[in-house]
PDB file of all heavy atoms in Angstrom:
ATOM      1  N   MET A 290     -29.472  29.885 -95.000  1.00  0.00           N
ATOM      2  CA  MET A 290     -29.474  30.169 -93.564  1.00  0.00           C
ATOM      3  C   MET A 290     -29.436  28.904 -92.715  1.00  0.00           C
ATOM      4  O   MET A 290     -28.760  28.857 -91.687  1.00  0.00           O
ATOM      5  CB  MET A 290     -30.684  31.034 -93.204  1.00  0.00           C
ATOM      6  CG  MET A 290     -30.601  32.432 -93.785  1.00  0.00           C
ATOM      7  SD  MET A 290     -32.005  33.466 -93.320  1.00  0.00           S
ATOM      8  CE  MET A 290     -31.631  34.953 -94.265  1.00  0.00           C
ATOM      9  N   ARG A 291     -30.147  27.881 -93.135  1.00  0.00           N
ATOM     10  CA  ARG A 291     -30.122  26.639 -92.373  1.00  0.00           C
ATOM     11  C   ARG A 291     -28.722  26.025 -92.416  1.00  0.00           C
ATOM     12  O   ARG A 291     -28.270  25.427 -91.439  1.00  0.00           O
ATOM     13  CB  ARG A 291     -31.161  25.660 -92.908  1.00  0.00           C
ATOM     14  CG  ARG A 291     -31.517  24.565 -91.927  1.00  0.00           C
ATOM     15  CD  ARG A 291     -32.734  23.783 -92.363  1.00  0.00           C
ATOM     16  NE  ARG A 291     -33.922  24.608 -92.447  1.00  0.00           N
ATOM     17  CZ  ARG A 291     -35.146  24.118 -92.661  1.00  0.00           C
ATOM     18  NH1 ARG A 291     -35.318  22.816 -92.823  1.00  0.00           N
ATOM     19  NH2 ARG A 291     -36.196  24.919 -92.720  1.00  0.00           N
ATOM     20  N   GLY A 292     -28.047  26.181 -93.540  1.00  0.00           N
ATOM     21  CA  GLY A 292     -26.676  25.703 -93.636  1.00  0.00           C
ATOM     22  C   GLY A 292     -25.754  26.440 -92.692  1.00  0.00           C
ATOM     23  O   GLY A 292     -24.868  25.849 -92.073  1.00  0.00           O
ATOM     24  N   LEU A 293     -25.963  27.750 -92.546  1.00  0.00           N
ATOM     25  CA  LEU A 293     -25.164  28.515 -91.596  1.00  0.00           C
ATOM     26  C   LEU A 293     -25.438  28.059 -90.163  1.00  0.00           C
ATOM     27  O   LEU A 293     -24.538  28.020 -89.326  1.00  0.00           O
ATOM     28  CB  LEU A 293     -25.464  30.006 -91.742  1.00  0.00           C
ATOM     29  CG  LEU A 293     -24.929  30.658 -93.029  1.00  0.00           C
ATOM     30  CD1 LEU A 293     -25.515  32.052 -93.206  1.00  0.00           C
ATOM     31  CD2 LEU A 293     -23.409  30.728 -93.013  1.00  0.00           C
ATOM     32  N   ALA A 294     -26.682  27.688 -89.886  1.00  0.00           N
ATOM     33  CA  ALA A 294     -27.011  27.150 -88.566  1.00  0.00           C
ATOM     34  C   ALA A 294     -26.261  25.850 -88.309  1.00  0.00           C
ATOM     35  O   ALA A 294     -25.781  25.603 -87.199  1.00  0.00           O
ATOM     36  CB  ALA A 294     -28.515  26.926 -88.454  1.00  0.00           C
ATOM     37  N   VAL A 295     -26.149  25.020 -89.337  1.00  0.00           N
ATOM     38  CA  VAL A 295     -25.407  23.761 -89.210  1.00  0.00           C
ATOM     39  C   VAL A 295     -23.932  24.040 -88.943  1.00  0.00           C
ATOM     40  O   VAL A 295     -23.305  23.380 -88.107  1.00  0.00           O
ATOM     41  CB  VAL A 295     -25.582  22.901 -90.473  1.00  0.00           C
ATOM     42  CG1 VAL A 295     -24.619  21.722 -90.478  1.00  0.00           C
ATOM     43  CG2 VAL A 295     -27.023  22.396 -90.578  1.00  0.00           C
ATOM     44  N   VAL A 296     -23.370  25.013 -89.661  1.00  0.00           N
ATOM     45  CA  VAL A 296     -21.969  25.389 -89.448  1.00  0.00           C
ATOM     46  C   VAL A 296     -21.749  25.779 -87.992  1.00  0.00           C
ATOM     47  O   VAL A 296     -20.793  25.340 -87.343  1.00  0.00           O
ATOM     48  CB  VAL A 296     -21.584  26.561 -90.376  1.00  0.00           C
ATOM     49  CG1 VAL A 296     -20.238  27.150 -89.973  1.00  0.00           C
ATOM     50  CG2 VAL A 296     -21.531  26.086 -91.826  1.00  0.00           C
ATOM     51  N   SER A 297     -22.645  26.587 -87.459  1.00  0.00           N
ATOM     52  CA  SER A 297     -22.506  27.038 -86.078  1.00  0.00           C
ATOM     53  C   SER A 297     -22.706  25.902 -85.087  1.00  0.00           C
ATOM     54  O   SER A 297     -21.895  25.698 -84.178  1.00  0.00           O
ATOM     55  CB  SER A 297     -23.533  28.142 -85.799  1.00  0.00           C
ATOM     56  OG  SER A 297     -23.534  28.474 -84.433  1.00  0.00           O
ATOM     57  N   ARG A 298     -23.790  25.157 -85.254  1.00  0.00           N
ATOM     58  CA  ARG A 298     -24.128  24.116 -84.283  1.00  0.00           C
ATOM     59  C   ARG A 298     -23.059  23.025 -84.214  1.00  0.00           C
ATOM     60  O   ARG A 298     -22.877  22.391 -83.164  1.00  0.00           O
ATOM     61  CB  ARG A 298     -25.490  23.509 -84.628  1.00  0.00           C
ATOM     62  CG  ARG A 298     -25.987  22.453 -83.652  1.00  0.00           C
ATOM     63  CD  ARG A 298     -26.005  22.925 -82.213  1.00  0.00           C
ATOM     64  NE  ARG A 298     -26.837  24.082 -81.985  1.00  0.00           N
ATOM     65  CZ  ARG A 298     -28.135  24.008 -81.681  1.00  0.00           C
ATOM     66  NH1 ARG A 298     -28.729  22.851 -81.593  1.00  0.00           N
ATOM     67  NH2 ARG A 298     -28.818  25.114 -81.469  1.00  0.00           N
ATOM     68  N   SER A 299     -22.334  22.818 -85.287  1.00  0.00           N
ATOM     69  CA  SER A 299     -21.292  21.785 -85.288  1.00  0.00           C
ATOM     70  C   SER A 299     -20.269  22.016 -84.186  1.00  0.00           C
ATOM     71  O   SER A 299     -19.827  21.071 -83.526  1.00  0.00           O
ATOM     72  CB  SER A 299     -20.587  21.740 -86.651  1.00  0.00           C
ATOM     73  OG  SER A 299     -21.483  21.343 -87.666  1.00  0.00           O
ATOM     74  N   GLY A 300     -19.892  23.259 -83.962  1.00  0.00           N
ATOM     75  CA  GLY A 300     -18.930  23.553 -82.909  1.00  0.00           C
ATOM     76  C   GLY A 300     -19.458  23.197 -81.535  1.00  0.00           C
ATOM     77  O   GLY A 300     -18.739  22.641 -80.696  1.00  0.00           O
ATOM     78  N   GLY A 301     -20.721  23.496 -81.288  1.00  0.00           N
ATOM     79  CA  GLY A 301     -21.319  23.158 -80.012  1.00  0.00           C
ATOM     80  C   GLY A 301     -21.418  21.662 -79.796  1.00  0.00           C
ATOM     81  O   GLY A 301     -21.252  21.173 -78.671  1.00  0.00           O
ATOM     82  N   LEU A 302     -21.669  20.918 -80.865  1.00  0.00           N
ATOM     83  CA  LEU A 302     -21.804  19.469 -80.742  1.00  0.00           C
ATOM     84  C   LEU A 302     -20.490  18.811 -80.350  1.00  0.00           C
ATOM     85  O   LEU A 302     -20.480  17.813 -79.621  1.00  0.00           O
ATOM     86  CB  LEU A 302     -22.325  18.876 -82.050  1.00  0.00           C
ATOM     87  CG  LEU A 302     -23.775  19.231 -82.388  1.00  0.00           C
ATOM     88  CD1 LEU A 302     -24.150  18.665 -83.750  1.00  0.00           C
ATOM     89  CD2 LEU A 302     -24.731  18.727 -81.317  1.00  0.00           C
ATOM     90  N   VAL A 303     -19.384  19.335 -80.851  1.00  0.00           N
ATOM     91  CA  VAL A 303     -18.084  18.782 -80.442  1.00  0.00           C
ATOM     92  C   VAL A 303     -17.952  18.855 -78.922  1.00  0.00           C
ATOM     93  O   VAL A 303     -17.500  17.897 -78.267  1.00  0.00           O
ATOM     94  CB  VAL A 303     -16.928  19.540 -81.119  1.00  0.00           C
ATOM     95  CG1 VAL A 303     -15.581  19.070 -80.578  1.00  0.00           C
ATOM     96  CG2 VAL A 303     -16.974  19.337 -82.632  1.00  0.00           C
ATOM     97  N   ALA A 304     -18.377  19.957 -78.338  1.00  0.00           N
ATOM     98  CA  ALA A 304     -18.289  20.119 -76.882  1.00  0.00           C
ATOM     99  C   ALA A 304     -19.215  19.144 -76.165  1.00  0.00           C
ATOM    100  O   ALA A 304     -18.844  18.547 -75.143  1.00  0.00           O
ATOM    101  CB  ALA A 304     -18.622  21.555 -76.493  1.00  0.00           C
ATOM    102  N   HIS A 305     -20.433  18.976 -76.675  1.00  0.00           N
ATOM    103  CA  HIS A 305     -21.380  18.046 -76.043  1.00  0.00           C
ATOM    104  C   HIS A 305     -20.859  16.610 -76.086  1.00  0.00           C
ATOM    105  O   HIS A 305     -20.954  15.868 -75.101  1.00  0.00           O
ATOM    106  CB  HIS A 305     -22.740  18.121 -76.733  1.00  0.00           C
ATOM    107  CG  HIS A 305     -23.623  19.200 -76.190  1.00  0.00           C
ATOM    108  ND1 HIS A 305     -24.401  19.040 -75.071  1.00  0.00           N
ATOM    109  CD2 HIS A 305     -23.827  20.468 -76.614  1.00  0.00           C
ATOM    110  CE1 HIS A 305     -25.067  20.155 -74.824  1.00  0.00           C
ATOM    111  NE2 HIS A 305     -24.734  21.039 -75.747  1.00  0.00           N
ATOM    112  N   ILE A 306     -20.324  16.223 -77.216  1.00  0.00           N
ATOM    113  CA  ILE A 306     -19.835  14.849 -77.353  1.00  0.00           C
ATOM    114  C   ILE A 306     -18.608  14.623 -76.488  1.00  0.00           C
ATOM    115  O   ILE A 306     -18.459  13.579 -75.846  1.00  0.00           O
ATOM    116  CB  ILE A 306     -19.556  14.533 -78.831  1.00  0.00           C
ATOM    117  CG1 ILE A 306     -20.863  14.593 -79.625  1.00  0.00           C
ATOM    118  CG2 ILE A 306     -18.904  13.165 -78.990  1.00  0.00           C
ATOM    119  CD1 ILE A 306     -20.680  14.674 -81.127  1.00  0.00           C
ATOM    120  N   ALA A 307     -17.718  15.617 -76.442  1.00  0.00           N
ATOM    121  CA  ALA A 307     -16.541  15.501 -75.581  1.00  0.00           C
ATOM    122  C   ALA A 307     -16.955  15.369 -74.118  1.00  0.00           C
ATOM    123  O   ALA A 307     -16.397  14.558 -73.361  1.00  0.00           O
ATOM    124  CB  ALA A 307     -15.633  16.714 -75.772  1.00  0.00           C
ATOM    125  N   GLU A 308     -17.960  16.145 -73.697  1.00  0.00           N
ATOM    126  CA  GLU A 308     -18.436  16.050 -72.323  1.00  0.00           C
ATOM    127  C   GLU A 308     -19.110  14.707 -72.065  1.00  0.00           C
ATOM    128  O   GLU A 308     -18.941  14.105 -70.999  1.00  0.00           O
ATOM    129  CB  GLU A 308     -19.408  17.192 -72.021  1.00  0.00           C
ATOM    130  CG  GLU A 308     -19.875  17.211 -70.572  1.00  0.00           C
ATOM    131  CD  GLU A 308     -20.784  18.380 -70.278  1.00  0.00           C
ATOM    132  OE1 GLU A 308     -21.991  18.298 -70.593  1.00  0.00           O
ATOM    133  OE2 GLU A 308     -20.282  19.390 -69.726  1.00  0.00           O
ATOM    134  N   GLU A 309     -19.861  14.230 -73.050  1.00  0.00           N
ATOM    135  CA  GLU A 309     -20.552  12.939 -72.897  1.00  0.00           C
ATOM    136  C   GLU A 309     -19.566  11.805 -72.658  1.00  0.00           C
ATOM    137  O   GLU A 309     -19.823  10.892 -71.873  1.00  0.00           O
ATOM    138  CB  GLU A 309     -21.400  12.661 -74.137  1.00  0.00           C
ATOM    139  CG  GLU A 309     -22.119  11.327 -74.133  1.00  0.00           C
ATOM    140  CD  GLU A 309     -23.084  11.179 -72.966  1.00  0.00           C
ATOM    141  OE1 GLU A 309     -23.663  12.199 -72.542  1.00  0.00           O
ATOM    142  OE2 GLU A 309     -23.248  10.041 -72.492  1.00  0.00           O
ATOM    143  N   ARG A 310     -18.432  11.863 -73.315  1.00  0.00           N
ATOM    144  CA  ARG A 310     -17.430  10.813 -73.133  1.00  0.00           C
ATOM    145  C   ARG A 310     -16.918  10.770 -71.707  1.00  0.00           C
ATOM    146  O   ARG A 310     -16.509   9.721 -71.214  1.00  0.00           O
ATOM    147  CB  ARG A 310     -16.265  11.044 -74.110  1.00  0.00           C
ATOM    148  CG  ARG A 310     -16.623  10.732 -75.557  1.00  0.00           C
ATOM    149  CD  ARG A 310     -15.503  11.124 -76.489  1.00  0.00           C
ATOM    150  NE  ARG A 310     -15.758  10.670 -77.861  1.00  0.00           N
ATOM    151  CZ  ARG A 310     -14.996  10.964 -78.904  1.00  0.00           C
ATOM    152  NH1 ARG A 310     -13.920  11.724 -78.730  1.00  0.00           N
ATOM    153  NH2 ARG A 310     -15.293  10.511 -80.111  1.00  0.00           N
ATOM    154  N   GLU A 311     -16.947  11.908 -71.016  1.00  0.00           N
ATOM    155  CA  GLU A 311     -16.480  11.953 -69.638  1.00  0.00           C
ATOM    156  C   GLU A 311     -17.603  11.721 -68.630  1.00  0.00           C
ATOM    157  O   GLU A 311     -17.392  11.118 -67.587  1.00  0.00           O
ATOM    158  CB  GLU A 311     -15.821  13.310 -69.360  1.00  0.00           C
ATOM    159  CG  GLU A 311     -14.565  13.564 -70.198  1.00  0.00           C
ATOM    160  CD  GLU A 311     -13.923  14.905 -69.871  1.00  0.00           C
ATOM    161  OE1 GLU A 311     -14.441  15.606 -68.975  1.00  0.00           O
ATOM    162  OE2 GLU A 311     -12.914  15.249 -70.510  1.00  0.00           O
ATOM    163  N   SER A 312     -18.807  12.196 -68.955  1.00  0.00           N
ATOM    164  CA  SER A 312     -19.888  12.165 -67.963  1.00  0.00           C
ATOM    165  C   SER A 312     -20.791  10.944 -68.068  1.00  0.00           C
ATOM    166  O   SER A 312     -21.330  10.477 -67.068  1.00  0.00           O
ATOM    167  CB  SER A 312     -20.747  13.425 -68.101  1.00  0.00           C
ATOM    168  OG  SER A 312     -21.479  13.390 -69.330  1.00  0.00           O
ATOM    169  N   GLY A 313     -20.986  10.441 -69.287  1.00  0.00           N
ATOM    170  CA  GLY A 313     -21.909   9.325 -69.459  1.00  0.00           C
ATOM    171  C   GLY A 313     -23.352   9.687 -69.162  1.00  0.00           C
ATOM    172  O   GLY A 313     -24.133   8.849 -68.701  1.00  0.00           O
ATOM    173  N   SER A 314     -23.738  10.931 -69.427  1.00  0.00           N
ATOM    174  CA  SER A 314     -25.091  11.377 -69.101  1.00  0.00           C
ATOM    175  C   SER A 314     -26.170  10.644 -69.902  1.00  0.00           C
ATOM    176  O   SER A 314     -27.292  10.490 -69.428  1.00  0.00           O
ATOM    177  CB  SER A 314     -25.223  12.887 -69.312  1.00  0.00           C
ATOM    178  OG  SER A 314     -24.974  13.230 -70.662  1.00  0.00           O
ATOM    179  N   ALA A 315     -25.835  10.191 -71.098  1.00  0.00           N
ATOM    180  CA  ALA A 315     -26.830   9.468 -71.900  1.00  0.00           C
ATOM    181  C   ALA A 315     -27.282   8.196 -71.192  1.00  0.00           C
ATOM    182  O   ALA A 315     -28.460   7.818 -71.248  1.00  0.00           O
ATOM    183  CB  ALA A 315     -26.266   9.133 -73.275  1.00  0.00           C
TER     184      ALA A 315
END
Side-chain angles (χ1 to χ4, degrees):
M290 292 182 184
R291 199 168 298 188
L293 289 169
V295 169
V296 168
S297 173
R298 183 54 59 89
S299 295
L302 291 176
V303 174
H305 274 276
I306 296 164
E308 184 177 81
E309 177 60 32
R310 288 173 173 174
E311 296 181 2
S312 69
S314 61

